[in-house]
Each structure stands twice: as structure tokens, then as C-alpha cells.
Amino acid sequence: MGTALVTGATSGIGQEIVWQLAETHHDLVLVARDRDRLAALSERLHQVAGVGAQVLPADLSTPEGRAAVAERLRVGGAAAGAATVRVTADRPHTADDVADRPVDLLVNDAGFAVGQSFVGGDLAQEQRALAVMVQAVLELTHAAVPGMVERGHGAVLNVSSATALTAMGTYAAHKAWVRTFTEGLASELRGTGVTATEVNPGLTRSEFHDRAGMGDQWPGVAWLRAEDVARS
């Protein structure tokens, strides 16, 4: 049992990761933009799985949103972690149980389809995508890892994409950065008790493609299920 912070927690692969972590009795810090969806998910997790779920609404495309999540990830250095009262499993945990505990697992899942060609496309949309899928991964990992190293345990899971190995526009470029960044971080963390892992899913049924209007471009056999990706 530990505490995991998941970005992009209310849909797709991120939500499936949340539920599968809850099944293994991890408490959660849930990050997404929609406060109402976060609150509903938190309540379901508490009622069904008996885990605590702290809600942290944040728009990772903004400096303020990234700073709020980074601040939560810095909670609990080595001394603070040692002093934290261990939450027992004899009752359902609450959000208050979670709020002051260090994060043991950071899952950087938030992302979206850019949905345009770069040439002639909206620059603001490109900047939002870069902020969410590159800058947020960089800043949140930078906030989380020092405390994990001090405590001698922890993990970072970065959701990249099979497109990282293609030349499919700026989305692929962002995911290629995540792939290379994670591999370099894993090497740097060797021997610390902290791990960094990337996952590179292919086409996965979720709101991701629906929001971008891309759901009908590939045959059904090409698609993965979000719950299978999360479990893997």
C-alpha cells in the first residue's frame, strides 16, 4: 500500500490505472481539470475500494496548474516521510488521510491529441500540447524524485506512445521526448531504490481519440482496451 499521484485521472488509461491501483490498496491523488469529475471519481473510489482519494484540480497547460501539482509532490522529504503516521487498513481511508502523505508513485498520463497540422495550425494549441505532455512531465518529475530518493523508494511511470517511434507530427515529437527523458532518468536513478518506467501504448479506446474526432480512422482489430494497457 502506498500513495500514487495520477495526472489525467478522470478518463482513459489514466482512470484505469487509478482503479487498478485502488484494487491493490493504493491511496490516490487525482489530478485533472474538471473538479466535478474528480470529486465523483474520488467518492466512488472511497465507497467501492475503501481507499483515500485527494482531489487536485489543475490545468497542466498553465504555470499555475503545474506549480500546484509540483507543490503537492514535494510533500514529505526523508524526515517528514519517517514522521508520517502510517494509515491503517482497518477502515476506509479519507482524502484527509492522504493529504499529508508523501507520494510514492507519480503517473504522468495527462495528454491530448493536437488535432491539427503544424504548418498553418494554431500556435496556442501547439504550446498547450507542449506544456501538458513535455513541460508538465519535466516539472512534476523534478518535484517528485528528490523526496523519493531521500526516502529510498518510489517510482515514476510516464505514459508515452507507440507514435514516439514515428514522424507523426508534434504529438509524436512530444512522446519521443518522454521516451528519451524516461530512459535517461532510469539510468540516473539506478541504485537509488527509485525507478522510472515508460509505457508506449498503441491505439487505445478512450475519450482521447473521440475528442479529436479520430475514432473511425482505423479498424476495430487495431484497438487496445484501456484496462488491458493499464494492467500491463
Side-chain angles (χ1 to χ4, degrees):
M1 182 180 68
T3 301
L5 185 148
V6 182
T7 70
T10 57
S11 65
I13 295 171
Q15 188 174 43
E16 287 296 335
I17 289 173
V18 163
W19 276 107
Q20 292 184 31
L21 287 170
E23 289 173 3
T24 57
H25 309 295
H26 283 73
D27 290 323
L28 283 306
V29 183
L30 307 173
V31 178
R33 291 178 298 172
D34 191 318
R35 183 183 297 272
D36 290 341
R37 291 182 71 174
L38 285 169
L41 177 58
S42 173
E43 182 62 22
R44 290 198 305 274
L45 288 163
H46 181 65
Q47 294 295 331
V48 174
V51 300
Q54 179 187 3
V55 166
L56 183 51
D59 183 348
L60 296 179
S61 71
T62 68
E64 297 80 10
R66 295 191 299 274
V69 181
E71 181 179 4
R72 174 61 183 88
L73 287 165
R74 293 189 184 98
V75 169
T84 300
V85 176
R86 186 174 298 277
V87 178
T88 61
D90 60 359
R91 62 173 176 80
H93 301 171
T94 67
D96 289 339
D97 291 329
V98 180
D100 296 326
R101 296 174 62 196
V103 169
D104 306 292
L105 167 64
L106 167 63
V107 180
N108 285 308
D109 173 70
F112 61 91
V114 181
Q116 63 179 19
S117 298
F118 179 75
V119 178
D122 178 40
L123 180 58
Q125 174 75 342
E126 296 290 350
Q127 291 170 326
R128 285 191 291 271
L130 184 68
V132 171
M133 290 183 278
V134 174
Q135 195 163 349
V137 174
L138 177 72
E139 293 182 16
L140 301 190
T141 304
H142 190 267
V145 168
M148 294 179 181
V149 171
E150 288 178 5
R151 294 187 295 273
H153 67 90
V156 177
L157 176 64
N158 291 330
V159 179
S160 180
S161 169
T163 61
L165 298 175
T166 74
M168 297 174 63
T170 52
Y171 178 85
H174 302 334
K175 293 305 185 179
W177 182 91
V178 171
R179 179 187 179 95
T180 302
F181 168 72
T182 308
E183 291 174 353
L185 179 63
S187 178
E188 185 174 340
L189 291 171
R190 190 172 293 118
T192 66
V194 182
T195 62
T197 304
E198 57 167 323
V199 58
N200 297 285
L203 293 168
T204 304
R205 291 288 184 193
S206 71
E207 295 178 20
F208 177 94
H209 293 92
D210 294 338
R211 288 174 177 173
M214 300 164 59
D216 297 326
Q217 294 185 21
W218 296 278
V221 70
W223 293 87
L224 302 169
R225 300 192 310 161
E227 53 265 42
D228 295 333
V229 174
R231 185 172 296 109
S232 296

